[in-house]
Amino acid sequence: MTKPIFNDVSKFMTEISNFFDLICSPNTNERYEFVKTQIEKYLIQTDKKEIKILDLASGTGDMCIKFSENGFNATGIDFSKGMINVSKKKNKKMGLNAKFYLEDIRSFTGTDKYDCIYGNSFIWIHGIKDLEKALENASNLLAQGGIFIIDIPNRTNFLNTYRPFAAKCVNTSLKTYSKIVMYTDYPNRNDPLISVNQTYLVHEITKLQHNSISCDFKFRFHSLEEIKELTQKYGIKLTLIEKDYGIKFYNEPKDYQVVFTKEA
């Protein structure tokens, strides 16, 4: 059994990128439908025929590919080389035109302006200074009047459904993948910072071989007020808060999808 233990989250994400879609892929369809609705409103308001969309921390490219499938000019960035490689392979296989770049949202500046910027991974930016830098970069990349859409996890839901240990297993014809999540300490209800360990076990049936991949990292429940205060510094105004798909399963939202508009 091999057991790589990563301190670098980007390297860890690269290590799991080839099976990320199988066991970790987010609820892309629900997220896409919400973002599409906001884009349609934007197109009506601006009378634009074409727009550019940027997906921050795009992972294996599901959202970008969905945008591209539906005729949008979509670009995704992620700090994991493996995630970007998987995205490009999927994009090429489907004959689409989405673009993917190896970039970190905390340092990415770019030269294009985007009509819509989407991000559902801000929870992983656990430093306030890093969060502010990422929001500043997003503002600089957003066109005047453009929309900025992010997911903000509902900390109350997390604490109400908290389990110190969670596991998921997926079987394929040749391999079994297991995802084990352990919170290294019980979340302090007054502390938005959470410590977590993720371990993936890959069992190759034909070879009777087990591989283990693990990483310790932190994430942070940024409050809506924090995000609102930081975005206001860069001319981005809160326009809509929507409860997401989680309400169907938990009777309360798992995340809030929040829409901001850059003042013209």
Side-chain angles (χ1 to χ4, degrees):
M1 175 185 286
T2 60
K3 189 173 182 180
I5 301 176
F6 292 91
N7 295 317
D8 185 327
V9 178
S10 66
K11 291 180 179 178
F12 171 68
M13 290 298 184
T14 290
E15 191 72 17
I16 66 172
S17 60
N18 286 324
F19 56 86
F20 180 86
D21 282 347
L22 184 65
I23 200 166
C24 298
S25 190
N27 295 272
T28 302
N29 289 333
E30 290 90 342
R31 296 177 189 276
Y32 171 77
E33 289 301 322
F34 177 80
V35 176
K36 186 184 75 168
T37 298
Q38 306 312 311
I39 290 172
E40 288 170 347
K41 292 178 183 177
Y42 175 78
L43 290 171
I44 293 171
Q45 292 168 355
T46 60
D47 200 30
K48 288 190 174 184
K49 304 301 180 186
E50 295 184 4
I51 65 169
K52 290 182 178 180
I53 301 172
L54 175 65
D55 185 2
L56 301 175
S58 55
T60 53
D62 278 1
M63 280 290 283
C64 261
I65 286 171
K66 197 81 173 172
F67 288 133
S68 186
E69 276 185 305
N70 287 273
F72 294 111
N73 182 338
T75 298
I77 64 168
D78 200 280
F79 72 165
S80 162
K81 186 176 180 179
M83 293 289 183
I84 291 296
N85 287 342
V86 170
S87 300
K88 288 180 176 180
K89 288 177 183 177
K90 288 162 60 175
N91 186 60
K92 184 177 180 179
K93 183 177 181 179
M94 297 177 70
L96 299 172
N97 296 314
K99 298 179 286 291
F100 295 97
Y101 300 105
L102 182 63
E103 297 282 356
D104 190 319
I105 61 177
R106 295 167 296 182
S107 56
F108 179 62
T109 52
T111 55
D112 288 343
K113 294 291 184 181
Y114 297 90
D115 301 282
C116 174
I117 297 179
Y118 171 75
N120 75 338
S121 299
F122 279 82
I123 188 174
W124 304 109
I125 304 175
H126 56 80
I128 289 295
K129 289 184 178 179
D130 285 340
L131 174 65
E132 184 170 3
K133 186 60 181 174
L135 293 172
E136 180 184 8
N137 290 340
S139 175
N140 292 334
L141 293 163
L142 192 61
Q144 295 295 322
I147 51 176
F148 177 42
I149 304 172
I150 61 175
D151 287 358
I152 298 178
N154 178 2
R155 187 164 183 261
T156 301
N157 170 262
F158 176 83
L159 291 170
N160 287 342
T161 59
Y162 170 83
R163 299 289 184 277
F165 174 90
K168 179 181 179 182
C169 184
V170 175
N171 293 307
T172 67
S173 59
L174 296 177
K175 294 182 181 181
T176 296
Y177 300 94
S178 299
K179 175 183 179 181
I180 301 168
V181 179
M182 291 180 290
Y183 299 98
T184 54
D185 48 27
Y186 186 88
N188 184 323
R189 290 178 179 265
N190 297 312
D191 185 356
L193 195 64
I194 307 294
S195 299
V196 63
N197 171 274
Q198 284 191 10
T199 298
Y200 292 83
L201 304 175
V202 182
H203 171 53
E204 298 192 47
I205 297 170
T206 57
K207 298 180 181 179
L208 298 177
Q209 181 178 345
H210 301 268
N211 292 312
S212 174
I213 308 156
S214 181
C215 186
D216 291 311
F217 49 88
K218 295 180 183 294
F219 60 88
R220 187 179 190 278
F221 286 97
H222 309 300
S223 71
L224 180 58
E225 287 305 313
E226 285 176 318
I227 299 285
K228 184 178 177 181
E229 182 179 343
L230 290 173
T231 53
Q232 282 178 336
K233 292 174 62 175
Y234 304 111
I236 305 177
K237 181 181 178 181
L238 175 65
T239 55
L240 177 67
I241 304 173
E242 186 79 12
K243 298 174 183 178
D244 82 341
Y245 56 88
I247 201 165
K248 294 185 295 186
F249 308 106
Y250 305 107
N251 296 318
E252 63 178 341
K254 184 174 181 290
D255 298 277
Y256 292 99
Q257 296 193 321
V258 188
V259 182
F260 300 87
T261 302
K262 186 168 183 178
E263 298 172 346

